Amino acid sequence: MAPEAGSNRSVERAVAVLRAFAVTGSLRVTEVANLAGLRQSTASRLLSTLESAAFVERDADGHYRLGAELITLAGVAVNGHPVHHAARQPAQSLAAATGLGANVAVRRGHEAYYLCNFEGRLAPRAFSLTGRRNPLHATALGKCLLLGVDDRRTLLGELERYTPRTITDHDTLDAAIDQVAWQGYSTETEELSLSRSCLAAPLRDRSGHVVGALSLSGPSSAVDLATRERELSRLVVETADAVNSHLGHHGPTDPQLTAPPGRLDQRSRS
């Protein structure tokens, strides 16, 4: 058992080294060691092994970054995901039609995990969201992904504040999710990042379970929920319905839903 245990530790350490690059894309050996919680000699040895497998690359200045082989593996993983397969083209078309950013995400534990995103002319980004994670309670995507999740309070724990508009109270979050269930989409105005807004709709499989979410996002001035919510929500819901059809879902989830008491207007919340 001892050799097997040692091999497991080596794998765990190699994974820790790779995960260190989630913080920033370019690191020295000392920085990798600190982030991975390893001795510098151990980190250096693991980086050398990973470099020989093209999982990391080293530049002339001695900085390491993730290697091309991981791009291949990541591409296989993303392209093989059923939600990505069904939503990629509709999301791309939605971004082109609206000029906003179109995003597709699934839930991984207490976070929203982005499978793909497409930039519109009104919502340029300096980076891709694919592979990134965001909090569920502070995003429109996240509120859709929380539909049907049992014991949300235990899953999320204390709700972190990102802006003055972030929901940090579980009762308020429950009310917001009830509204999502009733109206079929969610909205978010500057809850995660100032000057950015978003609308999202849930993606469902053939059983009706929420397996992902699709959103439109961009600068608040371009999304302009005060005047465009009806227009944009119709587009995002129609696109989500098309994706749901590819996923095998063809009908309403609960036609008996009624408006939640004291319907929450997210745009007026301060």
Side-chain angles (χ1 to χ4, degrees), residues 90-91 93-100 102 184-185 199-201 203 214-216 223 228-243:
S93 298
L94 185 62
T98 61
L100 300 173
Y185 68 93
L199 303 91
L203 302 176
L214 169 75
S215 75
L216 276 174
V223 176
R228 301 189 69 192
E229 180 175 341
R230 177 173 295 184
E231 168 204 354
L232 295 178
S233 63
R234 177 181 59 81
L235 289 172
V236 77
V237 168
E238 287 178 353
T239 305
D241 285 345
V243 175

Side-chain angles (χ1 to χ4, degrees), residues 6 9-10 13-14 17 29 32-33 38-53 56 58 64:
R9 283 196 296 272
S10 295
R13 289 170 176 172
V17 166
V29 174
V32 172
L38 301 171
R39 293 179 179 176
Q40 185 171 335
S41 59
T42 301
S44 179
R45 185 173 64 253
L46 288 168
L47 284 167
S48 179
T49 301
L50 291 168
E51 184 180 11
S52 67
V56 299
R58 180 172 42 172
Y64 286 89

Side-chain angles (χ1 to χ4, degrees), residues 181-192:
W182 173 66
Q183 67 186 15
Y185 68 93
S186 62
T187 62
E188 174 257 310
T189 302
E190 302 181 357
E191 293 180 34
L192 179 63

Side-chain angles (χ1 to χ4, degrees), residues 22-184:
V23 177
T24 184
S26 179
L27 297 168
R28 292 190 177 276
V29 174
T30 53
E31 296 169 318
V32 172
N34 290 334
L35 290 168
L38 301 171
R39 293 179 179 176
Q40 185 171 335
S41 59
T42 301
S44 179
R45 185 173 64 253
L46 288 168
L47 284 167
S48 179
T49 301
L50 291 168
E51 184 180 11
S52 67
F55 285 177
V56 299
E57 300 173 350
R58 180 172 42 172
D59 64 22
D61 295 326
H63 288 84
Y64 286 89
R65 61 177 178 270
L66 295 178
E69 186 64 22
L70 285 180
I71 299 175
T72 300
L73 295 177
V76 172
V78 170
N79 290 326
H81 197 290
V83 173
H84 178 275
H85 184 265
R88 185 189 65 81
Q89 186 58 58
Q92 187 174 14
S93 298
L94 185 62
T98 61
L100 300 173
N103 316 285
V104 178
V106 294
R107 183 173 69 85
R108 288 292 178 267
H110 65 285
E111 295 175 309
Y113 181 86
Y114 288 76
L115 292 179
C116 61
N117 80 290
F118 300 96
E119 298 177 12
R121 65 188 184 281
L122 302 177
R125 281 185 177 273
F127 57 87
S128 172
L129 283 172
T130 302
R132 289 180 176 255
R133 303 169 188 267
N134 269 334
L136 295 171
H137 70 283
T139 58
L141 282 167
K143 294 182 183 70
C144 289
L145 295 171
L146 285 169
L147 286 169
V149 174
D150 295 328
D151 202 3
R152 291 191 292 260
R153 300 186 181 208
T154 299
L155 173 69
L156 299 177
E158 184 177 353
L159 303 179
E160 184 175 351
R161 182 180 297 280
Y162 296 94
T163 76
R165 299 179 67 91
T166 306
I167 294 176
T168 57
D169 172 74
H170 278 285
D171 288 337
T172 304
L173 181 62
D174 287 343
I177 295 171
D178 286 344
Q179 183 173 334
V180 176
W182 173 66
Q183 67 186 15

Side-chain angles (χ1 to χ4, degrees), residues 193-215:
S193 178
L194 294 176
S195 301
R196 296 194 68 84
S197 298
C198 186
L199 303 91
L203 302 176
R204 301 178 184 272
D205 63 12
R206 64 180 66 252
S207 68
H209 292 136
V210 174
V211 293
L214 169 75
S215 75

